Amino acid sequence: MQEICINSSYNNMESNDAQEKFLKTQMILAVIPTFVTQLFAFYRIRKLTYGIIIEVIIFFVDLVLQMNISWPFGVMIVLPISVLIPVYFVRKWTLEFNKTPSMF
């Protein structure tokens, strides 16, 4: 009986490590301010449609801001927006994804 408990706690520890590693990878992909890496992060957690919608909205907001604000200041405002919003949603949805049981 004790052996079973040790094995189950070891498996839980292993799954927590895997989830933490998955979360770190997702955060790295989301922090890189490129459309492709952020969409790949959304794809991995099965939220690609929502990710595309978020990225398109961010693109148009960034475009409007950069057209109305001069160059260095517009970029200083747009860059945090284009990184922090995807990071927020990728983190939130990755934690939800890790809590759901795997289908495979």
Side-chain angles (χ1 to χ4, degrees):
M1 182 68 170
Q2 184 180 11
E3 189 174 315
I4 293 171
C5 292
I6 292 171
N7 285 339
S8 68
S9 66
Y10 178 74
N11 289 336
N12 287 338
M13 191 170 58
E14 242 181 45
S15 68
N16 287 339
D17 290 343
Q19 289 176 354
E20 186 177 320
K21 191 174 190 179
F22 183 69
L23 181 62
K24 286 179 184 178
T25 305
Q26 289 294 95
M27 289 296 97
I28 290 169
L29 289 172
V31 167
I32 300 171
T34 63
F35 186 70
V36 175
T37 58
Q38 291 174 347
L39 284 181
F40 185 65
F42 285 116
Y43 170 76
R44 290 181 64 186
I45 53 175
R46 298 186 182 111
K47 297 283 186 177
L48 183 60
T49 306
Y50 294 124
I52 290 172
I53 292 169
I54 290 169
E55 292 291 338
V56 168
I57 291 170
I58 290 172
F59 173 77
F60 284 114
V61 168
D62 290 352
L63 185 66
V64 168
L65 286 173
Q66 287 189 18
M67 292 178 107
N68 292 322
I69 301 173
S70 63
W71 179 73
F73 303 109
V75 172
M76 290 169 55
I77 294 171
V78 166
L79 194 58
I81 290 171
S82 64
V83 172
L84 294 178
I85 292 173
V87 165
Y88 170 77
F89 284 106
V90 166
R91 178 172 172 76
K92 176 184 171 188
W93 290 335
T94 300
L95 292 173
E96 290 174 8
F97 181 79
N98 285 342
K99 288 181 183 175
T100 60
S102 179
M103 288 194 280
F104 302 106

